[in-house]
DNA sequence: AGTGAAAGTACAGCTGA
DNA sequence: TCAGCTGTACTTTCACT
């Protein structure tokens, strides 16, 4: 199911639902310029084909007491596939770790971690991350302040790109 | 509006809507154990008080052709507040930059960038980021593969924490 | 278009300070 | 007693065939 299967209306639907995932179907249909029933069919198709993975409320973590956001750069001793997968599995089991990406270059992984306070993070750092098997080095950077945090995909870039090649 | 104002039902609502933001109100009410009208009122209150910032469809960026994800570490020449804000404003205007956080330590900012392909990212890097005023150094790391990418807040951690202090 | 269900509103009852 | 929250009843709007 490549991107070629998406027409401009499908892309508009995706952009609108990315901006407001609780929009009613009639409102969505009005915005994309078709009537409600075909609009709903398109949304279902986009869900089933995996273009839409789900819908999530954007919860204000700071208001809930998560004051600490940290990026951790992790280097491993062994980069064998088994060991990489083992570390990834560990990360998936740690709730404080919200994101884990394998990188090229000097470090092996970057982790984005959220915690209620510094002491919670530090007990995770020293108790879990630094003592995990195969972890060679961890460099942490505290987020002083957030300047931008956009969920999802820049549809503007996509449309520009499609306009050029058409 | 501190966290103390949230009772266990409110927290359950937040957790459920974070997991599935398009759940109907009656389904939500059933899950949290109250009837629909008060449940809806609670949701509205959570929205108005800023605990819920919005709802977003989780769009599969890779299926849409965004194959490249890059973390960029940016160092500035001047860290005066005016200059920091100026750089943040630039980032807010760049659609490829999805996240921008100010860090402590050696680098000043970490940027998370999404692009359709490497050449698009490189033209952004050389044409926009590296040539921006006050940018001293940029180190980029390409994401080889993603191992975890959870939106939102780990409610498990929150509940553990509240259970201890009660 | 039409049916069945959900969202949203008004009002009355319950519970705790 | 009074404030706040809950549940029942009802209307309007939406989802779905």
């Amino acid at each position: 199911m490549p991107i070629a299967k998406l027409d401009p209306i499908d892309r508009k639907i995706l952009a609108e639902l990315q901006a407001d995932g609780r929009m009613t179907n009639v409102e969505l249909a009005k915005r994309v310029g078709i009537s409600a029933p075909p609009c709903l069919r398109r949304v279902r198709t986009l869900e089933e084909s995996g273009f839409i993975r789900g819908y999530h409320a954007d919860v204000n973590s700071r208001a809930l007491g998560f004051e600490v956001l940290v990026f951790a750069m992790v280097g491993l001793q062994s980069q064998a596939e088994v060991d990489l997968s083992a570390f990834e599995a560990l990360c998936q089991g740690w709730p404080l770790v919200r994101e884990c990406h394998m990188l090229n270059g000097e470090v092996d992984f970057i982790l984005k971690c959220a915690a209620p306070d510094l002491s919670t993070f530090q007990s995770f750092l020293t108790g879990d991350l630094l003592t995990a098997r195969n972890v060679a080095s961890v460099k942490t950077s505290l987020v002083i302040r957030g300047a931008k945090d956009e969920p999802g995909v820049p549809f503007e870039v996509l449309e520009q790109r499609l306009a050029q090649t058409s």
Side-chain angles (χ1 to χ4, degrees), chain A residues 44-97:
Chain A
R44 292 285 173 269
T45 304
L46 290 169
E47 288 168 354
E48 283 159 19
S49 57
F51 285 99
I52 297 176
R53 290 207 200 86
Y55 303 87
H56 305 285
D58 179 7
V59 174
N60 186 340
S61 57
R62 193 143 290 187
L64 277 176
F66 284 80
E67 314 234 327
V68 171
L69 190 63
V70 180
F71 284 92
M73 308 296 197
V74 178
L76 300 185
Q77 283 160 12
S78 156
Q79 281 87 18
E81 175 57 34
V82 192
D83 298 311
L84 295 171
S85 305
F87 180 73
E88 290 176 345
L90 275 179
C91 287
Q92 283 157 16
W94 285 324
L96 290 189
V97 176

Side-chain angles (χ1 to χ4, degrees), chain A residues 7-73:
Chain A
D7 66 12
I9 293 178
D10 288 320
R11 297 198 300 272
K12 190 99 198 295
I13 287 175
L14 289 174
E16 292 288 345
L17 285 180
Q18 178 173 278
D20 179 3
R22 277 214 113 170
M23 195 181 301
T24 64
N25 183 58
V26 297
E27 172 67 20
L28 179 63
K30 194 165 64 183
R31 293 196 185 197
V32 303
I34 60 179
S35 66
C39 184
L40 188 61
R41 275 196 299 270
R42 281 168 181 266
V43 172
R44 292 285 173 269
T45 304
L46 290 169
E47 288 168 354
E48 283 159 19
S49 57
F51 285 99
I52 297 176
R53 290 207 200 86
Y55 303 87
H56 305 285
D58 179 7
V59 174
N60 186 340
S61 57
R62 193 143 290 187
L64 277 176
F66 284 80
E67 314 234 327
V68 171
L69 190 63
V70 180
F71 284 92
M73 308 296 197

Side-chain angles (χ1 to χ4, degrees), chain A residues 53-141:
Chain A
R53 290 207 200 86
Y55 303 87
H56 305 285
D58 179 7
V59 174
N60 186 340
S61 57
R62 193 143 290 187
L64 277 176
F66 284 80
E67 314 234 327
V68 171
L69 190 63
V70 180
F71 284 92
M73 308 296 197
V74 178
L76 300 185
Q77 283 160 12
S78 156
Q79 281 87 18
E81 175 57 34
V82 192
D83 298 311
L84 295 171
S85 305
F87 180 73
E88 290 176 345
L90 275 179
C91 287
Q92 283 157 16
W94 285 324
L96 290 189
V97 176
R98 307 315 292 161
E99 297 183 25
C100 169
H101 308 276
M102 189 188 302
L103 299 180
N104 74 342
E106 347 176 354
V107 302
D108 296 310
F109 287 95
I110 186 168
L111 271 50
K112 185 169 156 188
C113 309
D117 50 44
L118 267 181
S119 75
T120 304
F121 176 74
Q122 297 209 358
S123 69
F124 160 74
L125 180 63
T126 56
D128 295 319
L129 187 53
L130 283 169
T131 60
R133 256 187 56 76
N134 197 31
V135 168
S137 70
V138 177
K139 261 177 47 178
T140 60
S141 287

